[in-house]
Amino acid sequence: MLKYRPEELTKLPRSVEYKAGTVYIIDQTKLPAEFKIIALRTVEEVAEAIKTMKVRGAPAIGATAAFGLALYAETSKAKTKEDFFAGFYKAYETLKNTRPTAVNLFWALNRVKELAEEHREDSLDEIKRLIVEEAQRIADEDVEANLRMGHYGAEVLPEGNVLTHCNAGSLATVHLGTVGAVLRVMHKEGTLKLLWVDETRPVLQGARLSAWEYSYDGIPLKLIADNAAAFVMQQGKVDAIIVGADRIVANGDFANKIGTYMLAVLAREHGIPFFTVAPLSTIDMSLKSGKDIPIEERSPEEVLRCGGCRVAPDVDVYNPAFDVTPHKYLTGIITDRGVVWPPFKRNLKKLFGEIY
Ligand SMILES: CSC[C@H]1O[C@H](OP(=O)(O)O)[C@H](O)[C@@H]1O
């Protein structure tokens, strides 16, 4: 039973919206210094915003890409269906090639593409209308999924101090967050005593984004360097760890921001419950193991600089944006259809079998 509505859980606006051929996003590269909403008016601008992480976070990326297709549909000057679909597929490829790890991107793009193809015999105006409608539906469903996950997660996380990594908050989704929804419901219920926020080098999604959005909503938190997480756990100051996910595969292995695997091993060492939370649109049942997940490598500049200052000489850099945590370290997977417990391979298969 959902006790709270989004507006009772956060004062933030949605992270991405669409209106009449324009995609509006919060420019996350400007936070925390500046809260700025920017307008994206071409597919290329949408793609660039995803690539440069002006908008980031698996579900937010998916919804933004879907709105990119809506933007194409609503602004296309094509006179024939053949020309329209030629441009549609070009837009689809441009958006598909932005970032490789978060499966929500491909899930959202394919959902819109398949709908458009199913209605190829309809009028061009009807096809355009359906594309825009489906993109909006994807965004609205994300908010409802987050609301459900918030309630499910708050039921299973123990009362006390929670540690999180990166940002899987409202900014990483259309609204509320995945981790963010759980933390906000716990805060509402009085069961979240303190939130430990990992700064999350090199892009600092924790320090710049999580610290900003959770303090904005009044959640008590302490920001720590990534290297301090183990010490905080060793002092017995963490009662649970909850992180987002960019791709969960059929056996429960999952990709998430670099540094997640380290936390999982430490949680096991210290007997701390370790959860990931993600909607079904983040689960890729086509991959059997985490070894199959494509891991994005980003620019060396992200590591060579911090807060705009150069922090290292011009040396070789390895900058994987994600790592893969084996399912054996997971206590549970909080989804919008309930909590999935071990054995993950069997229970994920059962969950998807009941739905599809
Ligand atoms: C709610 S999914 C958030 C997920 O996405 C982040 O990656 P990035 O900031 O590179 O888009 C991170 O892995 C979060 O856990």
PDB file of all heavy atoms in Angstrom, residues 111-144:
ATOM      1  N   ARG A 111      11.509   0.245 -26.650  1.00  0.00           N
ATOM      2  CA  ARG A 111      10.054   0.267 -26.382  1.00  0.00           C
ATOM      3  C   ARG A 111       9.361   1.266 -27.320  1.00  0.00           C
ATOM      4  O   ARG A 111       8.306   0.969 -27.897  1.00  0.00           O
ATOM      5  CB  ARG A 111       9.833   0.643 -24.905  1.00  0.00           C
ATOM      6  CG  ARG A 111       8.429   0.345 -24.452  1.00  0.00           C
ATOM      7  CD  ARG A 111       8.269   0.461 -22.974  1.00  0.00           C
ATOM      8  NE  ARG A 111       7.092   1.287 -22.683  1.00  0.00           N
ATOM      9  CZ  ARG A 111       6.626   1.519 -21.461  1.00  0.00           C
ATOM     10  NH1 ARG A 111       7.238   0.995 -20.423  1.00  0.00           N
ATOM     11  NH2 ARG A 111       5.551   2.266 -21.269  1.00  0.00           N
ATOM     12  N   VAL A 112       9.984   2.412 -27.527  1.00  0.00           N
ATOM     13  CA  VAL A 112       9.381   3.414 -28.434  1.00  0.00           C
ATOM     14  C   VAL A 112       9.475   2.935 -29.891  1.00  0.00           C
ATOM     15  O   VAL A 112       8.501   3.031 -30.647  1.00  0.00           O
ATOM     16  CB  VAL A 112      10.070   4.785 -28.264  1.00  0.00           C
ATOM     17  CG1 VAL A 112       9.506   5.799 -29.254  1.00  0.00           C
ATOM     18  CG2 VAL A 112       9.910   5.294 -26.832  1.00  0.00           C
ATOM     19  N   LYS A 113      10.629   2.380 -30.238  1.00  0.00           N
ATOM     20  CA  LYS A 113      10.821   1.920 -31.631  1.00  0.00           C
ATOM     21  C   LYS A 113       9.806   0.828 -31.973  1.00  0.00           C
ATOM     22  O   LYS A 113       9.158   0.854 -33.025  1.00  0.00           O
ATOM     23  CB  LYS A 113      12.240   1.380 -31.809  1.00  0.00           C
ATOM     24  CG  LYS A 113      12.519   0.796 -33.189  1.00  0.00           C
ATOM     25  CD  LYS A 113      14.004   0.577 -33.455  1.00  0.00           C
ATOM     26  CE  LYS A 113      14.534  -0.666 -32.798  1.00  0.00           C
ATOM     27  NZ  LYS A 113      14.166  -1.931 -33.470  1.00  0.00           N
ATOM     28  N   GLU A 114       9.659  -0.149 -31.064  1.00  0.00           N
ATOM     29  CA  GLU A 114       8.726  -1.262 -31.339  1.00  0.00           C
ATOM     30  C   GLU A 114       7.288  -0.771 -31.471  1.00  0.00           C
ATOM     31  O   GLU A 114       6.532  -1.217 -32.325  1.00  0.00           O
ATOM     32  CB  GLU A 114       8.857  -2.335 -30.248  1.00  0.00           C
ATOM     33  CG  GLU A 114      10.120  -3.185 -30.409  1.00  0.00           C
ATOM     34  CD  GLU A 114      10.588  -3.811 -29.111  1.00  0.00           C
ATOM     35  OE1 GLU A 114       9.768  -3.908 -28.171  1.00  0.00           O
ATOM     36  OE2 GLU A 114      11.778  -4.196 -29.005  1.00  0.00           O
ATOM     37  N   LEU A 115       6.929   0.218 -30.664  1.00  0.00           N
ATOM     38  CA  LEU A 115       5.567   0.770 -30.750  1.00  0.00           C
ATOM     39  C   LEU A 115       5.359   1.452 -32.115  1.00  0.00           C
ATOM     40  O   LEU A 115       4.354   1.249 -32.802  1.00  0.00           O
ATOM     41  CB  LEU A 115       5.336   1.782 -29.631  1.00  0.00           C
ATOM     42  CG  LEU A 115       3.941   2.410 -29.710  1.00  0.00           C
ATOM     43  CD1 LEU A 115       3.023   1.808 -28.672  1.00  0.00           C
ATOM     44  CD2 LEU A 115       4.014   3.894 -29.579  1.00  0.00           C
ATOM     45  N   ALA A 116       6.364   2.234 -32.517  1.00  0.00           N
ATOM     46  CA  ALA A 116       6.238   2.942 -33.809  1.00  0.00           C
ATOM     47  C   ALA A 116       6.110   1.948 -34.956  1.00  0.00           C
ATOM     48  O   ALA A 116       5.298   2.123 -35.875  1.00  0.00           O
ATOM     49  CB  ALA A 116       7.468   3.830 -34.011  1.00  0.00           C
ATOM     50  N   GLU A 117       6.881   0.876 -34.877  1.00  0.00           N
ATOM     51  CA  GLU A 117       6.853  -0.152 -35.940  1.00  0.00           C
ATOM     52  C   GLU A 117       5.531  -0.911 -35.946  1.00  0.00           C
ATOM     53  O   GLU A 117       4.982  -1.232 -37.000  1.00  0.00           O
ATOM     54  CB  GLU A 117       8.048  -1.086 -35.777  1.00  0.00           C
ATOM     55  CG  GLU A 117       9.376  -0.423 -36.135  1.00  0.00           C
ATOM     56  CD  GLU A 117      10.588  -1.241 -35.750  1.00  0.00           C
ATOM     57  OE1 GLU A 117      10.457  -2.174 -34.904  1.00  0.00           O
ATOM     58  OE2 GLU A 117      11.691  -0.934 -36.260  1.00  0.00           O
ATOM     59  N   GLU A 118       4.991  -1.150 -34.747  1.00  0.00           N
ATOM     60  CA  GLU A 118       3.685  -1.841 -34.674  1.00  0.00           C
ATOM     61  C   GLU A 118       2.587  -1.020 -35.351  1.00  0.00           C
ATOM     62  O   GLU A 118       1.592  -1.566 -35.819  1.00  0.00           O
ATOM     63  CB  GLU A 118       3.292  -2.064 -33.202  1.00  0.00           C
ATOM     64  CG  GLU A 118       3.953  -3.258 -32.538  1.00  0.00           C
ATOM     65  CD  GLU A 118       3.842  -3.155 -31.012  1.00  0.00           C
ATOM     66  OE1 GLU A 118       2.915  -2.452 -30.527  1.00  0.00           O
ATOM     67  OE2 GLU A 118       4.703  -3.730 -30.323  1.00  0.00           O
ATOM     68  N   HIS A 119       2.774   0.300 -35.397  1.00  0.00           N
ATOM     69  CA  HIS A 119       1.720   1.182 -35.938  1.00  0.00           C
ATOM     70  C   HIS A 119       2.114   1.774 -37.282  1.00  0.00           C
ATOM     71  O   HIS A 119       1.591   2.815 -37.677  1.00  0.00           O
ATOM     72  CB  HIS A 119       1.406   2.281 -34.914  1.00  0.00           C
ATOM     73  CG  HIS A 119       0.696   1.756 -33.705  1.00  0.00           C
ATOM     74  ND1 HIS A 119      -0.672   1.677 -33.615  1.00  0.00           N
ATOM     75  CD2 HIS A 119       1.166   1.225 -32.552  1.00  0.00           C
ATOM     76  CE1 HIS A 119      -1.023   1.153 -32.455  1.00  0.00           C
ATOM     77  NE2 HIS A 119       0.085   0.862 -31.790  1.00  0.00           N
ATOM     78  N   ARG A 120       3.013   1.092 -37.992  1.00  0.00           N
ATOM     79  CA  ARG A 120       3.540   1.650 -39.250  1.00  0.00           C
ATOM     80  C   ARG A 120       2.439   1.899 -40.286  1.00  0.00           C
ATOM     81  O   ARG A 120       2.546   2.751 -41.142  1.00  0.00           O
ATOM     82  CB  ARG A 120       4.595   0.706 -39.816  1.00  0.00           C
ATOM     83  CG  ARG A 120       5.403   1.370 -40.897  1.00  0.00           C
ATOM     84  CD  ARG A 120       6.704   0.684 -41.160  1.00  0.00           C
ATOM     85  NE  ARG A 120       7.443   1.454 -42.157  1.00  0.00           N
ATOM     86  CZ  ARG A 120       8.752   1.611 -42.116  1.00  0.00           C
ATOM     87  NH1 ARG A 120       9.473   1.046 -41.154  1.00  0.00           N
ATOM     88  NH2 ARG A 120       9.368   2.322 -43.029  1.00  0.00           N
ATOM     89  N   GLU A 121       1.347   1.156 -40.163  1.00  0.00           N
ATOM     90  CA  GLU A 121       0.251   1.319 -41.144  1.00  0.00           C
ATOM     91  C   GLU A 121      -0.683   2.472 -40.777  1.00  0.00           C
ATOM     92  O   GLU A 121      -1.534   2.858 -41.563  1.00  0.00           O
ATOM     93  CB  GLU A 121      -0.546   0.012 -41.258  1.00  0.00           C
ATOM     94  CG  GLU A 121       0.271  -1.161 -41.795  1.00  0.00           C
ATOM     95  CD  GLU A 121       1.088  -0.780 -43.036  1.00  0.00           C
ATOM     96  OE1 GLU A 121       0.500  -0.193 -43.972  1.00  0.00           O
ATOM     97  OE2 GLU A 121       2.314  -1.004 -43.026  1.00  0.00           O
ATOM     98  N   ASP A 122      -0.493   3.030 -39.575  1.00  0.00           N
ATOM     99  CA  ASP A 122      -1.348   4.179 -39.192  1.00  0.00           C
ATOM    100  C   ASP A 122      -0.902   5.428 -39.947  1.00  0.00           C
ATOM    101  O   ASP A 122       0.136   5.443 -40.602  1.00  0.00           O
ATOM    102  CB  ASP A 122      -1.232   4.428 -37.676  1.00  0.00           C
ATOM    103  CG  ASP A 122      -1.829   3.286 -36.857  1.00  0.00           C
ATOM    104  OD1 ASP A 122      -2.144   2.233 -37.463  1.00  0.00           O
ATOM    105  OD2 ASP A 122      -1.955   3.430 -35.623  1.00  0.00           O
ATOM    106  N   SER A 123      -1.665   6.497 -39.782  1.00  0.00           N
ATOM    107  CA  SER A 123      -1.269   7.762 -40.421  1.00  0.00           C
ATOM    108  C   SER A 123       0.008   8.281 -39.770  1.00  0.00           C
ATOM    109  O   SER A 123       0.298   7.951 -38.609  1.00  0.00           O
ATOM    110  CB  SER A 123      -2.388   8.806 -40.248  1.00  0.00           C
ATOM    111  OG  SER A 123      -2.411   9.220 -38.879  1.00  0.00           O
ATOM    112  N   LEU A 124       0.746   9.129 -40.469  1.00  0.00           N
ATOM    113  CA  LEU A 124       1.989   9.681 -39.931  1.00  0.00           C
ATOM    114  C   LEU A 124       1.706  10.493 -38.664  1.00  0.00           C
ATOM    115  O   LEU A 124       2.426  10.398 -37.676  1.00  0.00           O
ATOM    116  CB  LEU A 124       2.669  10.551 -41.000  1.00  0.00           C
ATOM    117  CG  LEU A 124       4.094  11.012 -40.703  1.00  0.00           C
ATOM    118  CD1 LEU A 124       4.964   9.883 -40.206  1.00  0.00           C
ATOM    119  CD2 LEU A 124       4.716  11.673 -41.940  1.00  0.00           C
ATOM    120  N   ASP A 125       0.627  11.269 -38.709  1.00  0.00           N
ATOM    121  CA  ASP A 125       0.285  12.057 -37.508  1.00  0.00           C
ATOM    122  C   ASP A 125       0.004  11.149 -36.317  1.00  0.00           C
ATOM    123  O   ASP A 125       0.409  11.444 -35.194  1.00  0.00           O
ATOM    124  CB  ASP A 125      -0.940  12.937 -37.785  1.00  0.00           C
ATOM    125  CG  ASP A 125      -0.571  14.161 -38.619  1.00  0.00           C
ATOM    126  OD1 ASP A 125       0.663  14.389 -38.774  1.00  0.00           O
ATOM    127  OD2 ASP A 125      -1.471  14.846 -39.112  1.00  0.00           O
ATOM    128  N   GLU A 126      -0.674  10.043 -36.559  1.00  0.00           N
ATOM    129  CA  GLU A 126      -0.985   9.093 -35.464  1.00  0.00           C
ATOM    130  C   GLU A 126       0.295   8.455 -34.932  1.00  0.00           C
ATOM    131  O   GLU A 126       0.481   8.325 -33.724  1.00  0.00           O
ATOM    132  CB  GLU A 126      -1.964   8.035 -35.951  1.00  0.00           C
ATOM    133  CG  GLU A 126      -2.330   6.974 -34.909  1.00  0.00           C
ATOM    134  CD  GLU A 126      -3.038   7.537 -33.676  1.00  0.00           C
ATOM    135  OE1 GLU A 126      -3.276   8.760 -33.610  1.00  0.00           O
ATOM    136  OE2 GLU A 126      -3.330   6.736 -32.754  1.00  0.00           O
ATOM    137  N   ILE A 127       1.198   8.090 -35.805  1.00  0.00           N
ATOM    138  CA  ILE A 127       2.485   7.496 -35.382  1.00  0.00           C
ATOM    139  C   ILE A 127       3.247   8.482 -34.510  1.00  0.00           C
ATOM    140  O   ILE A 127       3.736   8.140 -33.433  1.00  0.00           O
ATOM    141  CB  ILE A 127       3.327   7.088 -36.606  1.00  0.00           C
ATOM    142  CG1 ILE A 127       2.663   5.926 -37.354  1.00  0.00           C
ATOM    143  CG2 ILE A 127       4.746   6.697 -36.177  1.00  0.00           C
ATOM    144  CD1 ILE A 127       3.274   5.639 -38.725  1.00  0.00           C
ATOM    145  N   LYS A 128       3.285   9.731 -34.935  1.00  0.00           N
ATOM    146  CA  LYS A 128       3.985  10.758 -34.152  1.00  0.00           C
ATOM    147  C   LYS A 128       3.352  10.907 -32.768  1.00  0.00           C
ATOM    148  O   LYS A 128       4.031  10.959 -31.750  1.00  0.00           O
ATOM    149  CB  LYS A 128       3.941  12.100 -34.889  1.00  0.00           C
ATOM    150  CG  LYS A 128       4.766  12.155 -36.150  1.00  0.00           C
ATOM    151  CD  LYS A 128       4.642  13.533 -36.788  1.00  0.00           C
ATOM    152  CE  LYS A 128       5.517  13.673 -38.024  1.00  0.00           C
ATOM    153  NZ  LYS A 128       5.462  15.054 -38.581  1.00  0.00           N
ATOM    154  N   ARG A 129       2.021  10.932 -32.766  1.00  0.00           N
ATOM    155  CA  ARG A 129       1.316  11.094 -31.488  1.00  0.00           C
ATOM    156  C   ARG A 129       1.615   9.931 -30.547  1.00  0.00           C
ATOM    157  O   ARG A 129       1.872  10.111 -29.346  1.00  0.00           O
ATOM    158  CB  ARG A 129      -0.201  11.184 -31.735  1.00  0.00           C
ATOM    159  CG  ARG A 129      -1.032  11.513 -30.511  1.00  0.00           C
ATOM    160  CD  ARG A 129      -2.514  11.334 -30.731  1.00  0.00           C
ATOM    161  NE  ARG A 129      -2.873   9.919 -30.909  1.00  0.00           N
ATOM    162  CZ  ARG A 129      -2.979   9.054 -29.865  1.00  0.00           C
ATOM    163  NH1 ARG A 129      -2.702   9.441 -28.629  1.00  0.00           N
ATOM    164  NH2 ARG A 129      -3.319   7.791 -30.088  1.00  0.00           N
ATOM    165  N   LEU A 130       1.626   8.734 -31.093  1.00  0.00           N
ATOM    166  CA  LEU A 130       1.874   7.533 -30.275  1.00  0.00           C
ATOM    167  C   LEU A 130       3.294   7.527 -29.707  1.00  0.00           C
ATOM    168  O   LEU A 130       3.520   7.110 -28.570  1.00  0.00           O
ATOM    169  CB  LEU A 130       1.615   6.280 -31.105  1.00  0.00           C
ATOM    170  CG  LEU A 130       0.150   5.983 -31.433  1.00  0.00           C
ATOM    171  CD1 LEU A 130       0.058   4.901 -32.513  1.00  0.00           C
ATOM    172  CD2 LEU A 130      -0.611   5.559 -30.171  1.00  0.00           C
ATOM    173  N   ILE A 131       4.251   7.998 -30.497  1.00  0.00           N
ATOM    174  CA  ILE A 131       5.653   8.042 -30.029  1.00  0.00           C
ATOM    175  C   ILE A 131       5.777   8.992 -28.841  1.00  0.00           C
ATOM    176  O   ILE A 131       6.362   8.667 -27.805  1.00  0.00           O
ATOM    177  CB  ILE A 131       6.595   8.473 -31.172  1.00  0.00           C
ATOM    178  CG1 ILE A 131       6.723   7.347 -32.197  1.00  0.00           C
ATOM    179  CG2 ILE A 131       7.966   8.888 -30.636  1.00  0.00           C
ATOM    180  CD1 ILE A 131       7.428   7.750 -33.488  1.00  0.00           C
ATOM    181  N   VAL A 132       5.188  10.179 -28.986  1.00  0.00           N
ATOM    182  CA  VAL A 132       5.250  11.164 -27.889  1.00  0.00           C
ATOM    183  C   VAL A 132       4.546  10.620 -26.653  1.00  0.00           C
ATOM    184  O   VAL A 132       5.050  10.711 -25.530  1.00  0.00           O
ATOM    185  CB  VAL A 132       4.625  12.507 -28.348  1.00  0.00           C
ATOM    186  CG1 VAL A 132       4.520  13.485 -27.170  1.00  0.00           C
ATOM    187  CG2 VAL A 132       5.438  13.123 -29.487  1.00  0.00           C
ATOM    188  N   GLU A 133       3.408   9.991 -26.866  1.00  0.00           N
ATOM    189  CA  GLU A 133       2.622   9.428 -25.751  1.00  0.00           C
ATOM    190  C   GLU A 133       3.407   8.318 -25.032  1.00  0.00           C
ATOM    191  O   GLU A 133       3.430   8.263 -23.798  1.00  0.00           O
ATOM    192  CB  GLU A 133       1.312   8.878 -26.312  1.00  0.00           C
ATOM    193  CG  GLU A 133       0.293   8.415 -25.284  1.00  0.00           C
ATOM    194  CD  GLU A 133      -0.950   7.866 -25.982  1.00  0.00           C
ATOM    195  OE1 GLU A 133      -0.918   6.688 -26.444  1.00  0.00           O
ATOM    196  OE2 GLU A 133      -1.932   8.635 -26.070  1.00  0.00           O
ATOM    197  N   GLU A 134       4.095   7.488 -25.793  1.00  0.00           N
ATOM    198  CA  GLU A 134       4.843   6.369 -25.185  1.00  0.00           C
ATOM    199  C   GLU A 134       6.028   6.878 -24.387  1.00  0.00           C
ATOM    200  O   GLU A 134       6.318   6.381 -23.299  1.00  0.00           O
ATOM    201  CB  GLU A 134       5.322   5.393 -26.272  1.00  0.00           C
ATOM    202  CG  GLU A 134       5.967   4.129 -25.733  1.00  0.00           C
ATOM    203  CD  GLU A 134       4.967   3.192 -25.045  1.00  0.00           C
ATOM    204  OE1 GLU A 134       3.782   3.547 -24.956  1.00  0.00           O
ATOM    205  OE2 GLU A 134       5.400   2.131 -24.563  1.00  0.00           O
ATOM    206  N   ALA A 135       6.696   7.900 -24.895  1.00  0.00           N
ATOM    207  CA  ALA A 135       7.832   8.472 -24.157  1.00  0.00           C
ATOM    208  C   ALA A 135       7.358   9.060 -22.834  1.00  0.00           C
ATOM    209  O   ALA A 135       7.980   8.868 -21.787  1.00  0.00           O
ATOM    210  CB  ALA A 135       8.514   9.551 -25.014  1.00  0.00           C
ATOM    211  N   GLN A 136       6.220   9.723 -22.873  1.00  0.00           N
ATOM    212  CA  GLN A 136       5.678  10.310 -21.634  1.00  0.00           C
ATOM    213  C   GLN A 136       5.286   9.204 -20.663  1.00  0.00           C
ATOM    214  O   GLN A 136       5.480   9.306 -19.454  1.00  0.00           O
ATOM    215  CB  GLN A 136       4.479  11.204 -21.945  1.00  0.00           C
ATOM    216  CG  GLN A 136       3.972  11.997 -20.734  1.00  0.00           C
ATOM    217  CD  GLN A 136       5.048  12.897 -20.149  1.00  0.00           C
ATOM    218  OE1 GLN A 136       5.601  13.751 -20.848  1.00  0.00           O
ATOM    219  NE2 GLN A 136       5.394  12.686 -18.871  1.00  0.00           N
ATOM    220  N   ARG A 137       4.739   8.112 -21.204  1.00  0.00           N
ATOM    221  CA  ARG A 137       4.338   6.978 -20.371  1.00  0.00           C
ATOM    222  C   ARG A 137       5.560   6.367 -19.677  1.00  0.00           C
ATOM    223  O   ARG A 137       5.519   6.028 -18.494  1.00  0.00           O
ATOM    224  CB  ARG A 137       3.622   5.930 -21.222  1.00  0.00           C
ATOM    225  CG  ARG A 137       2.940   4.825 -20.415  1.00  0.00           C
ATOM    226  CD  ARG A 137       2.210   3.843 -21.313  1.00  0.00           C
ATOM    227  NE  ARG A 137       1.035   4.439 -21.947  1.00  0.00           N
ATOM    228  CZ  ARG A 137       0.877   4.535 -23.267  1.00  0.00           C
ATOM    229  NH1 ARG A 137       1.837   4.105 -24.101  1.00  0.00           N
ATOM    230  NH2 ARG A 137      -0.222   5.070 -23.783  1.00  0.00           N
ATOM    231  N   ILE A 138       6.655   6.253 -20.405  1.00  0.00           N
ATOM    232  CA  ILE A 138       7.897   5.719 -19.818  1.00  0.00           C
ATOM    233  C   ILE A 138       8.338   6.577 -18.638  1.00  0.00           C
ATOM    234  O   ILE A 138       8.682   6.078 -17.576  1.00  0.00           O
ATOM    235  CB  ILE A 138       9.004   5.638 -20.888  1.00  0.00           C
ATOM    236  CG1 ILE A 138       8.736   4.473 -21.848  1.00  0.00           C
ATOM    237  CG2 ILE A 138      10.397   5.489 -20.250  1.00  0.00           C
ATOM    238  CD1 ILE A 138       9.630   4.442 -23.083  1.00  0.00           C
ATOM    239  N   ALA A 139       8.266   7.887 -18.817  1.00  0.00           N
ATOM    240  CA  ALA A 139       8.664   8.798 -17.734  1.00  0.00           C
ATOM    241  C   ALA A 139       7.721   8.677 -16.540  1.00  0.00           C
ATOM    242  O   ALA A 139       8.160   8.571 -15.386  1.00  0.00           O
ATOM    243  CB  ALA A 139       8.683  10.237 -18.259  1.00  0.00           C
ATOM    244  N   ASP A 140       6.431   8.674 -16.795  1.00  0.00           N
ATOM    245  CA  ASP A 140       5.460   8.599 -15.692  1.00  0.00           C
ATOM    246  C   ASP A 140       5.551   7.255 -14.964  1.00  0.00           C
ATOM    247  O   ASP A 140       5.439   7.199 -13.731  1.00  0.00           O
ATOM    248  CB  ASP A 140       4.043   8.820 -16.222  1.00  0.00           C
ATOM    249  CG  ASP A 140       3.857  10.238 -16.765  1.00  0.00           C
ATOM    250  OD1 ASP A 140       4.682  11.112 -16.425  1.00  0.00           O
ATOM    251  OD2 ASP A 140       2.916  10.444 -17.552  1.00  0.00           O
ATOM    252  N   GLU A 141       5.780   6.192 -15.710  1.00  0.00           N
ATOM    253  CA  GLU A 141       5.913   4.874 -15.087  1.00  0.00           C
ATOM    254  C   GLU A 141       7.145   4.817 -14.180  1.00  0.00           C
ATOM    255  O   GLU A 141       7.147   4.143 -13.154  1.00  0.00           O
ATOM    256  CB  GLU A 141       6.016   3.779 -16.165  1.00  0.00           C
ATOM    257  CG  GLU A 141       4.701   3.436 -16.834  1.00  0.00           C
ATOM    258  CD  GLU A 141       4.902   2.437 -17.974  1.00  0.00           C
ATOM    259  OE1 GLU A 141       6.046   1.957 -18.169  1.00  0.00           O
ATOM    260  OE2 GLU A 141       3.918   2.142 -18.683  1.00  0.00           O
ATOM    261  N   ASP A 142       8.196   5.558 -14.572  1.00  0.00           N
ATOM    262  CA  ASP A 142       9.410   5.557 -13.747  1.00  0.00           C
ATOM    263  C   ASP A 142       9.113   6.144 -12.370  1.00  0.00           C
ATOM    264  O   ASP A 142       9.564   5.621 -11.345  1.00  0.00           O
ATOM    265  CB  ASP A 142      10.533   6.350 -14.434  1.00  0.00           C
ATOM    266  CG  ASP A 142      11.826   6.303 -13.616  1.00  0.00           C
ATOM    267  OD1 ASP A 142      12.340   5.190 -13.380  1.00  0.00           O
ATOM    268  OD2 ASP A 142      12.288   7.362 -13.165  1.00  0.00           O
ATOM    269  N   VAL A 143       8.327   7.203 -12.345  1.00  0.00           N
ATOM    270  CA  VAL A 143       8.004   7.832 -11.053  1.00  0.00           C
ATOM    271  C   VAL A 143       7.203   6.870 -10.184  1.00  0.00           C
ATOM    272  O   VAL A 143       7.496   6.693  -8.991  1.00  0.00           O
ATOM    273  CB  VAL A 143       7.221   9.146 -11.267  1.00  0.00           C
ATOM    274  CG1 VAL A 143       6.909   9.809  -9.920  1.00  0.00           C
ATOM    275  CG2 VAL A 143       8.012  10.110 -12.152  1.00  0.00           C
ATOM    276  N   GLU A 144       6.219   6.219 -10.792  1.00  0.00           N
ATOM    277  CA  GLU A 144       5.402   5.255 -10.029  1.00  0.00           C
ATOM    278  C   GLU A 144       6.256   4.075  -9.551  1.00  0.00           C
ATOM    279  O   GLU A 144       6.096   3.596  -8.426  1.00  0.00           O
ATOM    280  CB  GLU A 144       4.246   4.749 -10.896  1.00  0.00           C
ATOM    281  CG  GLU A 144       3.147   5.793 -11.105  1.00  0.00           C
ATOM    282  CD  GLU A 144       2.612   6.382  -9.793  1.00  0.00           C
ATOM    283  OE1 GLU A 144       2.223   5.589  -8.906  1.00  0.00           O
ATOM    284  OE2 GLU A 144       2.647   7.614  -9.633  1.00  0.00           O
TER     285      GLU A 144
END
